[in-house]
């Protein structure tokens, strides 16, 4: 298995990133070759304050390390320092079809009625993501559920390339196929953490209100206040999961509790059934403070160690380029460019 995944440095590394992706990243690094990228080129598809972007890149890197990623085991780097991503992305732009991009729900959700005013980069973002993955011939991509459609697109692009250039691939590589079709690994403790203020919307770093999410850098007081104010309904807490399927906010709190504690959602719900919401919220706050605050404190320490973070990213970029460059060169040869 070769694992690739990334997180955008758009500020506010949050509980969704942690439970949906990072926990899995850490687990996978022990048995596989893992490549984890701070996808800075993705983040600029929406406006990023240039004065803050560099710190945000350090924040994600520090978050990786504080959560348990080991730069000796995993390759950690930022996307813009390995130019192969951008170059392969252009080549794949010429393979992907407009109709495929038009089906991407994330663009529709993000753009809403303002489609015409969005950056072209936001529209073509999934092709850059395909390049990120295919440049390493990654076999597995650990992500949250929201990224499933983008991984499927990466597979479609890989497959079309393999078909369009079948004869050239055989001639140049002596193999039937060039790109590997990557598998999504949507197996984090919670694959879709929802907003604390709206159980139908995913927790997101770009949501304007900070009350919608728990950031890994939040203090114990901030966590406590956000969970206290988290939206709930007025009905009592039942003891069966089937009864909370449409009570989205309660389902979210139970899922987060389960993801952090490692206990099943059924057991968690059973423990709090018939009790007041404050019991669930107080207990969840305690768990989150125990789990998240040490990570946040470690991040705060590492973020300012600019040289340390710089050396991890430079070393990671070198290792990443050593894999991606030959793949790009071969891709160009297959296409007839080199
Ligand atoms: N709410 C979530 N629940 C579970 N997994 C999530 N991920 C993100 N949000 C959740 C997973 O985290 C990885 C990095 O995601 P990202 O950098 O694309 O997302 P973000 O930080 O949450 O940023 P935005 O502002 O919300 O951007 P979009 O809308 O582009 O995702 C991915 O594996 C993702 O699945």
């Amino acid at each position: 298995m070769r694992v690739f995944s990334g997180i955008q440095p758009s500020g506010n590394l949050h509980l969704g990133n942690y439970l949906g992706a990072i926990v899995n990243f850490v687990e996978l690094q022990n048995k596989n070759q893992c490549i984890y990228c701070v996808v800075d080129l993705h983040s600029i598809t929406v406006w990023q304050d240039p004065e803050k972007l560099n710190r945000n890149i350090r924040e994600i890197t520090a978050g990786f390390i504080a959560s348990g990623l080991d730069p000796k085991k995993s390759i950690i780097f930022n996307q813009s320092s390995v130019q192969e991503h951008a170059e392969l992305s252009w080549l794949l732009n010429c393979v992907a079809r407009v109709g495929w991009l038009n089906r991407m729900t994330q663009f529709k959700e993000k753009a809403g009625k303002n489609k015409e005013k969005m950056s072209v980069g936001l529209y073509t973002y999934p092709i850059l993501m395909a390049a990120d993955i295919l440049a390493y011939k990654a076999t597995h991509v650990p992500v949250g559920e929201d990224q499933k459609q983008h991984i499927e697109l990466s597979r479609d692009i890989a497959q079309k390339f393999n078909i369009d250039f079948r004869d050239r691939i055989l001639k140049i590589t002596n193999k039937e196929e060039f790109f590997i079709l990557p598998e999504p690994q949507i197996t984090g403790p919670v694959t879709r953490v929802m907003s604390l203020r709206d159980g139908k919307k995913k927790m997101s770093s770009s949501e304007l209100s900070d009350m919608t999410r728990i950031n890994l850098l939040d203090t114990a007081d901030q966590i406590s206040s956000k969970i206290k104010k988290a939206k709930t309904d007025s009905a009592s807490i039942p003891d069966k999961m089937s009864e909370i399927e449409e009570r989205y906010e309660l389902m979210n709190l139970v899922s987060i509790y389960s993801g952090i504690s490692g206990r099943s959602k059924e057991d968690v719900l059973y423990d709090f059934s018939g009790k007041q919401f404050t019991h669930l919220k107080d207990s969840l706050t305690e768990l989150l403070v125990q789990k998240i605050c040490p990570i946040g404190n470690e991040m705060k320490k590492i973020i300012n160690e600019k040289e340390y973070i710089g050396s991890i990213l430079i070393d990671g970029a070198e290792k990443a380029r050593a894999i991606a460059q030959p793949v790009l060169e071969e891709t160009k040869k297959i296409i007839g460019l080199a």
Side-chain angles (χ1 to χ4, degrees):
M1 264 169 79
R2 181 180 281 165
V3 175
F4 177 92
S5 197
I7 296 200
Q8 299 184 60
S10 36
N12 308 318
L13 190 62
H14 57 80
L15 192 64
N17 301 136
Y18 182 72
L19 291 174
I22 298 175
V23 169
N24 241 353
F25 292 2
V26 176
E27 185 146 337
L28 286 163
Q29 73 176 343
N30 294 320
K31 290 198 185 136
N32 309 281
Q33 181 183 36
C34 292
I35 304 161
Y36 297 124
C37 186
V38 182
V39 282
D40 47 12
L41 296 176
H42 282 286
S43 70
I44 59 167
T45 54
V46 294
W47 171 254
Q48 300 295 328
D49 181 344
E51 300 290 339
K52 292 190 185 145
L53 186 53
N54 211 266
R55 186 185 163 84
N56 290 343
I57 293 171
R58 286 207 309 278
E59 179 185 319
I60 301 292
T61 314
F64 281 169
I65 306 297
S67 304
L69 283 188
D70 178 352
K72 289 197 193 84
K73 290 183 185 166
S74 299
I75 298 176
I76 297 170
F77 71 105
N78 63 313
Q79 190 184 24
S80 64
S81 60
V82 177
Q83 66 201 44
E84 281 73 11
H85 290 242
E87 196 172 342
L88 183 61
S89 173
W90 178 255
L91 303 179
L92 299 183
N93 258 279
C94 302
V95 175
R97 304 289 97 179
V98 172
W100 298 354
L101 278 187
N102 284 342
R103 287 201 290 273
M104 295 298 111
T105 54
Q106 195 182 73
F107 177 76
K108 289 183 198 160
E109 278 163 20
K110 278 199 154 182
K113 290 189 185 123
N114 295 319
K115 212 166 79 177
E116 304 290 317
K117 292 188 182 144
M118 293 294 134
S119 75
V120 176
L122 188 70
Y123 180 65
T124 58
Y125 159 124
I127 302 178
L128 176 58
M129 180 163 160
D132 298 337
I133 299 165
L134 301 183
Y136 299 93
K137 297 197 172 175
T139 57
H140 291 79
V141 188
V143 283
E145 208 178 83
D146 59 312
Q147 292 297 334
K148 186 165 180 245
Q149 197 184 30
H150 291 163
I151 313 280
E152 277 159 9
L153 183 87
S154 301
R155 292 170 63 86
D156 289 342
I157 293 173
Q159 193 168 30
K160 182 161 165 53
F161 184 93
N162 288 343
I163 293 170
D164 286 356
F165 295 99
R166 190 187 301 257
D167 295 345
R168 291 281 294 178
I169 292 169
L170 196 60
K171 190 169 156 195
I172 289 165
T173 69
N174 225 358
K175 291 196 181 117
E176 293 283 325
E177 289 180 335
F178 181 66
F179 285 123
I180 290 170
L181 271 52
E183 295 282 346
Q185 282 231 303
I186 305 176
T187 53
V190 189
T191 55
R192 197 172 181 86
V193 179
M194 309 310 282
S195 156
L196 298 176
R197 308 297 283 180
D198 179 352
K200 287 187 187 163
K201 270 170 109 176
K202 75 161 189 155
M203 187 176 283
S204 156
S205 59
S206 52
E207 183 62 50
L208 279 181
S209 165
D210 200 48
M211 295 305 283
T212 58
R213 65 184 159 256
I214 303 288
N215 302 306
L216 298 194
L217 286 172
D218 281 348
T219 61
D221 284 349
Q222 284 171 313
I223 292 176
S224 167
S225 145
K226 287 177 182 181
I227 296 294
K228 244 189 213 114
K229 291 184 184 142
K231 189 176 166 200
T232 43
D233 52 44
S234 52
S236 61
I237 303 180
D239 59 3
K240 289 195 185 60
M241 287 300 293
S242 56
E243 290 174 46
I244 68 164
E245 260 157 31
E246 290 191 0
R247 293 175 66 187
Y248 303 105
E249 283 82 17
L250 173 56
M251 175 65 100
N252 191 33
L253 294 181
V254 170
S255 300
I256 295 173
Y257 198 113
S258 154
I260 291 281
S261 65
R263 297 175 58 217
S264 73
K265 287 189 226 169
E266 286 76 9
D267 284 355
V268 172
L269 186 64
Y270 190 80
D271 276 4
F272 291 100
S273 62
K275 293 186 180 153
Q276 303 273 336
F277 269 102
T278 45
H279 279 97
L280 170 61
K281 286 185 167 184
D282 287 349
S283 185
L284 178 58
T285 300
E286 207 176 301
L287 269 183
L288 284 168
V289 167
Q290 258 174 31
K291 185 76 192 177
I292 300 301
C293 288
I295 297 175
N297 291 339
E298 186 63 16
M299 278 175 73
K300 283 171 201 155
K301 256 197 321 201
I302 306 174
I303 281 177
N304 293 319
E305 294 178 26
K306 292 189 187 174
E307 269 185 36
Y308 172 58
I309 292 193
S311 70
I312 291 173
L313 294 177
I314 289 171
D315 183 53
E318 225 170 82
K319 289 179 183 153
R321 198 172 307 115
I323 304 173
Q325 203 198 16
V327 175
L328 175 68
E329 283 315 311
E330 255 190 324
T331 310
K332 286 166 79 174
K333 242 190 242 164
I334 289 166
I335 294 176
L337 292 169

